[in-house]
Amino acid sequence: MITNRQIVLAGRPKGMPGLEHFRFVDAPLPEPALGQALVRTLYLSVDPYMRGRMNEGKSYVPPYPLNEVISGGSIGQVVESKHEGLKPGDLVSGQWGWQQYATANAARLSKIDTNLAPITTSLGVLGMTGLTAYFGLLDIGKPQPGETVVVSGAAGAVGMVVGQIAKIQGCRVIGIAGSDEKIAYLTEELGFDAALNYKTEDLPKALAESCPLGVDVYFDNVGGAVSDAVLSLINTGARIPLCGQISLYNLKEPDVGPRVQTQLLINKALMKGFIIGDYASRFPEGITQLAKWVTGKQIRYAENVVQGFENTPQAFLDLFSGENIGKQLVKVADPE
Ligand SMILES: NC(=O)c1ccc[n+]([C@@H]2O[C@H](COP(=O)([O-])OP(=O)(O)OC[C@H]3O[C@@H](n4cnc5c(N)ncnc54)[C@H](OP(=O)(O)O)[C@@H]3O)[C@@H](O)[C@H]2O)c1
């Protein structure tokens, strides 16, 4: 008998999460109801925002319930369908999360266009993270030719797309990331004008040298001391899309840093938080443009594909030690 292996939330971490916060369970294979499909998981997305959902408390999405499957971006293949729009063999993406099989309403599954690019891109550069880069940078950052754009978390899924879109817009682009391998990748492979290793360099000094004309757009993926250093260099009229604060997600106590309001005030700067789901009605526009750039090789992407469903929790934890260049994914199975 086929069972459905699942990963559930076993406890709520205080500080850095560990493997003990997840538990593997075996459930019976679910039966699709009318209007649903049974899907076999091929790839799973692991994302920093999932850390926030492990906590209790109010946020823009509800916390993961204890002892329930961790939901998140997923790619799979239809095994059985009770909806006329889907047939066995179709490749689909959805949000069923960390389990080997799932049933879902057809309306909650998107067919993957396999002509555009490899299917994994629907979780990365042509999916949630690429769209986050696209709308956050263009809608809030509004980069203009000749401006200086700084992006933190630059070698990650969102950051590497941000930097390349900023280059397409004619900007000077500086990336900040956490290893020399990432720095080399950004400057040698992706065409960033400069990249700085925040773990080994004197960041305020290195940034001042790399940004002699100041900073017009700061795309903030990490927060904390990295962002303090960038914000001290912003120009009049700077725009700061506030995308993520990963350096703060595992702190046990709230962090108090420099208070930035004066800096924003005297520079008449805009700092704006955004959540990508709010752009859902414009996703087709974003995917169409990103796909053009990807097929035209103006945007390149990297994926760090961890093999095996059993390694999903570790692949998630590795985001916080920066193991990944590009989108962190887990490969669960090959398509049939
Ligand atoms: N607003 C939205 O709708 C939205 C959507 C998607 C993602 N996000 C946010 O965007 C950010 C990037 O997400 P992603 O999916 O592209 O992840 P990612 O950048 O591919 O992976 C996370 C990276 O964060 C860096 N990092 C980890 N701990 C850090 C720390 N303490 N200080 C500085 N950097 C640290 C690591 O790279 P290094 O080696 O460089 O440290 C790691 O590789 C996250 O903050 C995420 O929460 C927001």
Side-chain angles (χ1 to χ4, degrees):
M1 194 182 77
I2 302 175
T3 54
N4 182 20
R5 204 145 171 71
Q6 303 174 318
I7 303 169
V8 302
L9 183 67
R12 301 201 185 278
K14 295 220 165 20
M16 192 63 81
L19 292 175
E20 68 278 15
H21 296 109
F22 304 97
R23 191 174 59 247
F24 287 81
V25 297
D26 287 318
L29 198 64
E31 273 276 327
L34 205 61
Q36 290 191 327
L38 172 67
V39 178
R40 178 170 156 264
T41 304
L42 304 181
Y43 289 92
L44 292 172
S45 179
V46 288
D47 293 275
Y49 78 85
M50 294 173 153
R51 174 64 186 88
R53 297 195 67 185
M54 296 173 80
N55 296 337
E56 245 158 0
K58 182 177 172 291
S59 186
Y60 63 95
V61 272
Y64 289 130
L66 281 173
N67 304 313
E68 288 194 19
V69 175
I70 307 276
S71 66
S74 333
I75 291 174
Q77 191 165 34
V78 173
V79 177
E80 184 186 346
S81 174
K82 290 190 177 160
H83 185 277
E84 59 187 15
L86 291 171
K87 58 179 188 319
D90 282 350
L91 294 166
V92 292
S93 62
Q95 289 291 322
W96 61 85
W98 297 7
Q99 49 188 335
Q100 289 178 316
Y101 292 88
T103 51
N105 290 336
R108 297 189 61 82
L109 299 172
S110 307
K111 273 202 217 179
I112 298 173
D113 182 351
T114 50
N115 296 316
L116 279 183
I119 59 171
T120 49
T121 57
S122 67
L123 295 177
V125 64
L126 301 184
M128 191 272 280
T129 53
L131 291 163
T132 300
Y134 180 87
F135 288 111
L137 181 66
L138 296 179
D139 212 54
I140 301 169
K142 295 190 176 12
Q144 304 300 312
E147 287 191 328
T148 298
V149 174
V150 175
V151 53
S152 53
V158 174
M160 69 169 54
V161 180
V162 168
Q164 293 180 89
I165 298 176
K167 283 307 295 177
I168 293 169
Q169 305 304 309
C171 300
R172 182 176 153 69
V173 177
I174 288 89
I176 303 173
S179 76
D180 289 344
E181 188 191 357
K182 293 182 180 186
I183 299 307
Y185 181 73
L186 294 172
T187 53
E188 290 166 23
E189 305 283 330
L190 299 188
F192 281 48
D193 295 285
L196 308 171
N197 183 340
Y198 72 94
K199 290 186 179 166
T200 57
E201 297 194 55
D202 176 346
L203 196 60
K205 184 165 169 283
L207 265 172
E209 284 166 9
S210 298
C211 305
L213 301 179
V215 175
D216 301 296
V217 179
Y218 172 46
F219 194 103
D220 188 1
N221 278 320
V222 308
V226 168
S227 296
D228 294 342
V230 184
L231 290 170
S232 70
L233 295 173
I234 57 172
N235 290 329
T236 301
R239 286 83 64 202
I240 301 141
L242 202 53
C243 176
Q245 299 281 288
I246 193 167
S247 74
L248 311 181
Y249 295 171
N250 297 310
L251 295 183
K252 287 190 177 150
E253 300 295 333
D255 183 45
V256 179
R259 296 187 165 89
V260 297
Q261 288 86 341
T262 302
Q263 190 67 357
L264 297 177
L265 175 65
I266 62 175
N267 288 296
K268 295 172 275 180
L270 171 77
M271 178 183 275
K272 187 175 186 311
F274 72 100
I275 299 299
I276 190 55
D278 295 342
Y279 286 94
S281 65
R282 292 178 60 195
F283 282 178
E285 165 204 328
I287 292 171
T288 302
Q289 181 58 71
L290 287 162
K292 275 189 200 153
W293 283 331
V294 168
T295 47
K297 305 250 186 298
Q298 284 164 286
I299 288 189
R300 302 179 59 191
Y301 63 92
E303 294 170 337
N304 192 52
V305 183
V306 174
Q307 302 292 326
F309 180 70
E310 67 283 7
N311 293 318
T312 306
Q314 189 60 52
F316 165 71
L317 297 174
D318 286 348
L319 289 167
F320 301 104
S321 48
E323 300 296 316
N324 58 308
I325 293 188
K327 180 75 194 92
Q328 183 83 332
L329 296 170
V330 178
K331 181 172 178 182
V332 177
D334 279 312
E336 301 248 296

